[in-house]
């Protein structure tokens, strides 16, 4: 359903009565301009809906039905270019949701409990693929009391220029991690290397790379000086063995446009025993693969 900005009377949306249309499995709702009235609240689909895309919605908040756990068959959800919404709906309550895309939501500054669902005991129990993109004001991703994302296998974060908070730490099923154009994020040494000076590790803005990934792609992000600093090599060497074990699962590695990357630690190179594809581009200061 497109051109929803032309619906000026909420009664028209109510009369469509999507809630009774049990046969609709996929629904695409699109706005191409400013809304006159909030019709989205009255476009609630039937609980049997499996795939939902909301694009160009210009309201300031999402309807109460979005994220309700009664939508127990929903497996795919896309929220695109909903620029005026300042918070995300409680999508963690959707029990079978597998694919989630959140893109172009310029009004969101933080992701926190409202995203997981207040009081939800096991948020995102089925989620496998998660994409955030073009979140131009997003700064913080707050942790949750329980461990969400236990089945998440692919996480992509693209063009989130202000994101600097920590990402979720416990991602036991993660296989693919893609981070592009997030210059405030700092990829640090793994958390178990905490003996390094805080000024070097910058643990406040870290990404835990200790999960057994098969694909890692990073571009336009920051790295601490300690990653390639030979002066800390001896201190890192003993603790790095644990990290190398995780690196053995990596088969594809893409690194692009990391300005301060001058070399790669020896323990990192030695850990890539299963690597099948290596791509390094636009790292202008990279002089060698191994820090001497």
């Amino acid at each position: 359903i497109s051109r929803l900005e032309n619906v000026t009377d909420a009664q028209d949306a109510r009369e469509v009565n999507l809630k009774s249309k049990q046969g609709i499995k996929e629904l695409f709702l699109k706005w191409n301009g400013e809304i006159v009235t909030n019709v989205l609240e009255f476009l609630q689909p039937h609980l049997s809906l499996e795939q939902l895309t909301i694009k160009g919605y210009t309201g300031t908040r999402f309807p109460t039905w979005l994220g309700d756990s009664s939508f127990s068959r929903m497996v795919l959800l896309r929220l695109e270019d909903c620029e005026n919404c300042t918070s995300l709906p409680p999508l963690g309550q959707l029990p079978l949701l597998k694919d989630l895309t959140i893109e172009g939501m310029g009004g969101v500054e933080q992701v926190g409990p409202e995203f997981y669902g207040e009081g939800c005991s096991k948020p995102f129990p089925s989620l496998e693929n998660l994409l955030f993109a073009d979140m131009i004001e997003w700064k913080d991703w707050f942790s949750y009391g329980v461990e969400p994302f236990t089945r998440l296998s692919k996480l992509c974060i693209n063009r989130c220029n202000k994101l600097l908070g920590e990402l979720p730490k416990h991602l036991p099923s993660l296989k693919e991690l893609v981070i592009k154009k997030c210059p405030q994020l700092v990829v640090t040494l793994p958390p178990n290397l905490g003996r390094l000076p805080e000024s070097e590790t910058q643990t406040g803005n870290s990404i835990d790379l200790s999960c057994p990934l098969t694909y890692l792609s990073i571009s336009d992000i920051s790295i601490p000086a300690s990653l390639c600093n030979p002066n800390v090599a001896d201190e890192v060497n003993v603790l790095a063995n644990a990290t190398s074990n995780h690196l053995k699962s990596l088969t594809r590695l893409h690194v692009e446009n990391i300005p301060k990357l001058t070399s790669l630690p020896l323990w990192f190179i030695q850990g890539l025993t299963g690597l099948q594809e290596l791509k390094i581009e636009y790292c202008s200061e990279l002089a060698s693969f191994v820090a001497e």
Side-chain angles (χ1 to χ4, degrees):
I1 304 176
S2 60
R3 296 288 182 180
L4 283 168
E5 72 278 3
N6 294 327
V7 180
T8 59
D9 189 346
Q11 181 62 28
D12 293 335
R14 185 183 287 108
E15 291 177 356
V16 173
N17 196 16
L18 288 178
K19 195 174 182 179
S20 67
K21 305 297 193 291
Q22 185 174 355
I24 297 178
K25 303 303 180 183
E26 300 180 23
L27 181 61
F28 186 98
L29 302 174
K30 183 179 180 180
W31 286 257
N32 292 325
E34 293 293 328
I35 61 175
V36 177
T37 184
N38 186 6
V39 301
L40 186 55
E41 185 69 49
F42 304 104
L43 291 175
Q44 177 177 342
H46 191 273
L47 297 179
S48 62
L49 189 71
E50 297 176 1
Q51 299 186 25
L52 173 64
T53 298
I54 298 176
K55 183 178 178 65
Y57 173 65
T58 57
T60 56
R61 61 181 181 178
F62 289 105
T64 55
W65 55 263
L66 185 58
D68 192 288
S69 60
S70 58
F71 285 90
S72 58
R73 298 184 184 180
M74 189 174 295
V75 295
L76 182 147
L77 177 60
R78 299 176 63 94
L79 302 178
E80 301 177 358
D81 302 324
C82 303
E83 297 181 352
N84 294 335
C85 290
T86 57
S87 64
L88 297 177
L91 304 179
Q93 300 178 150
L94 297 172
L96 290 186
L97 186 64
K98 293 183 178 181
D99 291 271
L100 175 59
T101 296
I102 300 175
E103 184 173 357
M105 293 191 57
V108 173
E109 295 186 5
Q110 64 182 39
V111 173
E114 76 290 339
F115 179 51
Y116 302 101
E118 298 283 357
C120 185
S121 60
K122 189 178 180 182
F124 297 105
S126 303
L127 193 65
E128 297 176 358
N129 302 307
L130 175 58
L131 167 65
F132 287 103
D134 299 309
M135 307 275 283
I136 59 175
E137 296 297 331
W138 184 24
K139 298 177 182 178
D140 297 295
W141 189 349
F142 294 110
S143 59
Y144 193 64
V146 296
E147 295 179 346
F149 309 121
T150 54
R151 293 189 179 182
L152 190 68
S153 62
K154 183 175 182 178
L155 173 61
C156 299
I157 305 177
N158 298 335
R159 300 178 298 279
C160 299
N161 294 339
K162 295 184 179 181
L163 180 61
L164 48 80
E166 293 187 1
L167 304 187
K169 293 293 185 185
H170 185 68
L171 301 174
S173 302
L174 193 66
K175 300 299 181 184
E176 299 186 24
L177 176 61
V178 179
I179 301 177
K180 297 183 177 181
K181 297 185 183 299
C182 300
Q184 301 298 321
L185 275 180
V186 179
V187 175
T188 74
L189 295 170
N192 60 354
L193 304 184
R195 289 190 295 154
L196 296 179
E198 184 174 352
S199 60
E200 289 290 334
T201 59
Q202 301 185 43
T203 54
N205 305 329
S206 64
I207 300 170
D208 184 355
L209 299 182
S210 61
C211 43
L213 297 174
T214 59
Y215 174 50
L216 173 62
S217 176
I218 55 175
S219 71
D220 298 276
I221 61 174
S222 300
I223 59 172
S226 59
L227 184 61
C228 303
N229 187 349
N231 294 328
V232 299
D234 291 338
E235 187 173 3
V236 169
N237 190 45
V238 175
L239 296 174
N241 289 331
T243 303
S244 297
N245 290 331
H246 290 288
L247 293 175
K248 290 178 181 179
S249 63
L250 203 62
T251 59
R252 300 167 60 204
L253 174 61
H254 294 175
V255 180
E256 181 179 348
N257 196 26
I258 311 295
K260 295 182 179 180
L261 183 65
T262 58
S263 60
L264 297 176
L266 179 60
W267 59 265
F268 184 81
I269 294 295
Q270 291 177 338
L272 298 173
T273 56
L275 195 66
Q276 299 175 11
E277 179 181 320
L278 174 62
K279 181 179 179 181
I280 301 178
E281 292 185 306
Y282 307 112
C283 297
S284 57
E285 297 184 31
L286 183 63
S288 66
F289 280 110
V290 180
E292 299 178 355

